[in-house]
Amino acid sequence: MDGEFEENINHFNHIKRKMKKVVLMQPNYSMFGKRTWKMYPYSLGILNACIKKSFKTEIFDPNFKNLSDEEIVESLKKAQPEVVGISTNSTEYIKNVQHTTALIRRALPHTIIIEGGILPTLLIDIAMKDKNVNYWIIGEGETVFPSLLKEMDKQKPDLSQIKGIAYYENNKARINPLDNYIENLDSIPFADYGNLNLMDYANQKLKYSQGLCARRYPYAVTITSRGCPYKCIFCSGPKISGRRVRMRSAENVLKEIDDLYKKGIKEIIFLDDHFLFSRKRAIHIMKGLIKRKYNLLWKCVNLTIFLLDEEILDLMKKSGCYQITVSIESGNQQVLNNIIKKPIKLEKVPSILNMAKKKGFEIIANFVIGFPHETWEQIRDTFSFAEKINVDLVNFHIATPLPNTELMEICIKEGHLPKDANKNILIGYTRGVISTKEFSSKELQILRAFEWDRINFKSEERKKAIARIQGISMKEIEQWRKDTRHKFGVNVKS
């Protein structure tokens, strides 16, 4: 640690200030040619709601307006906060995050920078190499972040008892692991976007974003549960929010929907990993929506396919749901059972999808190809299965070894990654990095791009459905297809 960094920490810890201004921000994710969407800074809204009664707050979102470095620095200098909390939403954007912390430090040499979210939760050792940051929050920040701020506001703060933070003390890294998750999710306040104009986000059309593209505006997003019990080898979700599913009560969810409706919201997008985990709770929420007669539309970014049945589908439709997204992952049962380890029975999938289609739902299906031990023929099985099912859009993702996943462990142990793996793994999810005796990463990219095009756009009816789902025109559909073929799916809109 250099002297300037150490001085930044001491400057805050040793000077008592009665009032602190806290700026909550996220990076401009479009830096360095990255894909980005102008969606709600949901996590910042939650954190703002958690601290606004104790501290003066401001939310700063350079991503929404695609601000330049100079504009970011100018805005921070104008705000003059004592603390900047920066959120990170994916290891894909590590370069953007580090660039942003450097901008904060340039604008505010003596301001305390606190980093939270996915990066420090999954990669604390790498996160702590950023000497522009003073403190890191590991895991759920709704209780940790306020506790850290309040402790730092004391004349002689003691950080040793705060679980879920990391920092340097006498040039040595101190990591206080998070010992539990938040049990009562109803205790977390609803997102409060403070100084931001809610309607700027609520009316923003997120073209090409599929599950995040609303059908009726203004729209809002929320999360009603955390955690996932399944053991898919590629997913880092359990490392972030645990395997045990924790849920907000149906009453709490409906109260938030009431508040959003009063603000003029006409569609809700649930960002849950496991919205249907509790059948009783899901039914309660849907019956609550029906009873209210708000005429709201809603959808969830991912639904567990084997939890869908006629009763649930009927209630979904009656309560305003119009689109279903399911992650089937593979079209080969052996791959599902022995490689991915996801408890889906392929023989039951077509009938469930046919039932949903007859009830008028739009359907998006997700698949993943390119796992170690997966054969070329098994990969081909996935495309064959995807072509036969009754859905509107199929997405094919290339297996990406994320930090702290079983997939990453296998790839490292068996040598399936290139020498510059750290750089490649963090660049995104359309570029293959895994190569085996069965396939190369380049083959996967080519196959994915051309099969995606062949299967999805085989009829005018299918093209129109996809244009509606993606929020784009038929002309944009053709350009999207062309770009995907030319670039093999890398660095295009999808």
Side-chain angles (χ1 to χ4, degrees):
M1 182 191 304
D2 57 34
E4 182 182 358
F5 180 46
E6 190 170 10
E7 179 186 350
N8 287 335
I9 295 178
N10 293 336
H11 175 81
F12 192 89
N13 284 348
H14 294 162
I15 297 178
K16 173 69 175 173
R17 299 185 181 184
K18 293 182 179 180
M19 294 294 294
K20 289 194 300 292
K21 182 176 183 180
V22 180
V23 164
L24 301 168
M25 68 176 292
Q26 63 181 355
N28 180 352
Y29 289 113
S30 66
M31 292 175 178
F32 310 113
K34 287 290 189 179
R35 58 182 182 172
T36 184
W37 296 283
K38 296 180 178 181
M39 69 176 296
Y40 281 88
Y42 181 74
S43 61
L44 297 184
I46 294 288
L47 289 177
N48 182 55
C50 290
I51 67 170
K52 67 175 187 174
K53 291 182 179 179
S54 301
F55 304 94
K56 184 178 180 181
T57 64
E58 179 180 326
I59 301 180
F60 177 41
D61 185 7
N63 185 66
F64 188 79
K65 294 185 178 180
N66 192 23
L67 298 185
S68 66
D69 288 1
E70 291 70 23
E71 289 171 321
I72 292 172
V73 168
E74 182 180 348
S75 296
L76 289 169
K77 284 182 176 180
K78 183 178 179 181
Q80 285 296 309
E82 282 77 26
V83 177
V84 174
I86 181 168
S87 175
T88 65
N89 70 4
S90 172
T91 55
E92 178 183 354
Y93 299 103
I94 186 171
K95 188 176 180 181
N96 304 61
V97 173
Q98 292 172 341
H99 182 75
T100 303
T101 60
L103 291 177
I104 300 169
R105 183 59 65 215
R106 189 176 100 194
L108 306 165
H110 300 297
T111 289
I112 291 297
I113 301 175
I114 303 174
E115 181 178 286
I118 302 302
L119 180 54
T121 298
L122 293 181
L123 293 170
I124 187 59
D125 292 342
I126 292 177
M128 291 187 77
K129 291 180 180 179
D130 186 350
K131 293 186 177 181
N132 289 308
V133 180
N134 301 97
Y135 302 97
W136 294 264
I137 293 178
I138 304 166
E140 297 174 322
E142 289 90 350
T143 57
V144 178
F145 187 55
S147 296
L148 176 59
L149 291 177
K150 289 176 182 178
E151 189 64 32
M152 290 194 305
D153 200 26
K154 297 178 181 178
Q155 191 69 43
K156 294 182 179 181
D158 178 11
L159 304 180
S160 63
Q161 301 304 311
I162 301 178
K163 302 296 183 182
I165 65 168
Y167 56 98
Y168 283 94
E169 184 177 67
N170 298 324
N171 294 339
K172 291 184 179 180
R174 304 293 185 190
I175 300 175
N176 302 341
L178 189 69
D179 55 3
N180 55 55
Y181 295 102
I182 299 171
E183 289 298 320
N184 180 14
L185 295 186
D186 284 5
S187 67
I188 299 173
F190 304 148
D192 184 331
Y193 298 99
N195 54 285
L196 299 181
N197 185 345
L198 181 74
M199 289 301 154
D200 286 346
Y201 294 87
N203 288 299
Q204 182 68 36
K205 192 172 185 179
L206 300 177
K207 291 163 52 169
Y208 297 98
S209 61
Q210 301 168 25
L212 295 174
C213 184
R215 188 61 44 80
R216 186 182 292 168
Y217 297 88
Y219 83 101
V221 300
T222 190
I223 299 176
T224 76
S225 63
R226 299 181 184 183
C228 181
Y230 306 125
K231 299 179 180 180
C232 303
I233 67 169
F234 59 84
C235 184
S236 58
K239 298 291 184 180
I240 297 168
S241 55
R243 289 203 183 279
R244 190 169 64 82
V245 179
R246 295 161 291 133
M247 298 170 291
R248 293 166 52 191
S249 67
E251 292 81 5
N252 181 263
V253 175
L254 289 167
K255 185 177 185 306
E256 183 183 22
I257 292 173
D258 289 340
D259 290 351
L260 291 170
Y261 178 76
K262 291 174 184 176
K263 293 175 181 177
I265 296 301
K266 299 185 183 301
E267 179 170 333
I268 308 287
I269 300 178
F270 296 108
L271 305 179
D272 298 45
D273 288 328
H274 216 332
F275 183 76
L276 296 176
F277 180 75
S278 168
R279 183 184 184 92
K280 181 179 179 180
R281 186 192 77 125
I283 289 174
H284 190 160
I285 292 171
M286 290 186 283
K287 285 186 174 179
L289 285 170
I290 294 168
K291 183 178 180 180
R292 280 161 171 74
K293 298 181 180 179
Y294 285 162
N295 194 30
L296 284 170
L297 293 183
W298 71 272
K299 61 180 174 179
C300 188
V301 294
N302 189 35
L303 291 168
T304 305
I305 190 165
F306 50 80
L307 296 179
L308 297 173
D309 58 28
E310 189 156 19
E311 180 188 17
I312 291 294
L313 288 169
D314 284 340
L315 281 171
M316 287 172 62
K317 192 68 178 177
K318 191 173 181 181
S319 62
C321 182
Y322 63 94
Q323 186 182 97
I324 292 172
T325 299
V326 291
S327 294
I328 302 169
E329 316 303 19
S330 177
N332 181 282
Q333 191 63 56
Q334 291 303 310
V335 172
L336 282 169
N337 293 347
N338 302 326
I339 297 178
I340 298 177
K341 301 178 183 178
K342 186 159 188 172
I344 287 178
K345 300 298 181 184
L346 287 177
E347 62 185 20
K348 297 182 179 181
V349 169
S351 61
I352 295 172
L353 295 178
N354 287 336
M355 186 191 307
K357 211 74 184 72
K358 288 178 182 178
K359 295 181 184 298
F361 287 100
E362 298 173 352
I363 306 176
I364 303 168
N366 294 318
F367 296 89
V368 186
I369 61 169
F371 292 93
H373 311 152
E374 187 177 19
T375 68
W376 187 255
E377 291 308 316
Q378 288 172 331
I379 290 172
R380 299 296 305 169
D381 286 345
T382 290
F383 292 110
S384 296
F385 185 86
E387 185 175 12
K388 294 174 183 176
I389 56 177
N390 189 11
V391 300
D392 297 286
L393 172 66
V394 289
N395 295 315
F396 301 108
H397 306 279
I398 298 175
T400 300
L402 298 174
N404 289 315
T405 61
E406 185 178 350
L407 177 58
M408 174 66 89
E409 293 174 3
I410 293 170
C411 288
I412 292 174
K413 181 180 179 181
E414 299 181 2
H416 296 304
L417 303 178
K419 292 180 180 179
D420 59 345
N422 286 338
K423 292 181 181 179
N424 284 329
I425 290 169
L426 297 171
I427 61 173
Y429 302 91
T430 57
R431 188 188 301 275
V433 294
I434 297 173
S435 293
T436 72
K437 292 179 180 179
E438 284 284 329
F439 55 80
S440 70
S441 58
K442 186 175 181 180
E443 285 177 313
L444 291 179
Q445 287 174 210
I446 295 170
L447 181 66
R448 168 188 180 265
F450 283 88
E451 287 290 73
W452 170 85
D453 183 83
R454 182 183 68 84
I455 294 170
N456 278 316
F457 304 102
K458 55 189 177 183
S459 69
E460 286 301 308
E461 181 182 4
R462 188 82 173 250
K463 290 179 185 178
K464 290 178 182 178
I466 293 173
R468 183 175 64 251
I469 288 170
Q470 299 283 48
I472 58 180
S473 66
M474 294 295 284
K475 182 178 180 180
E476 287 172 314
I477 280 279
E478 295 308 320
Q479 186 62 48
W480 183 36
R481 294 177 65 193
K482 184 177 180 181
D483 289 345
T484 300
R485 296 193 304 269
H486 285 189
K487 299 178 182 180
F488 302 136
V490 179
N491 294 330
V492 293
K493 299 257 200 277
S494 59

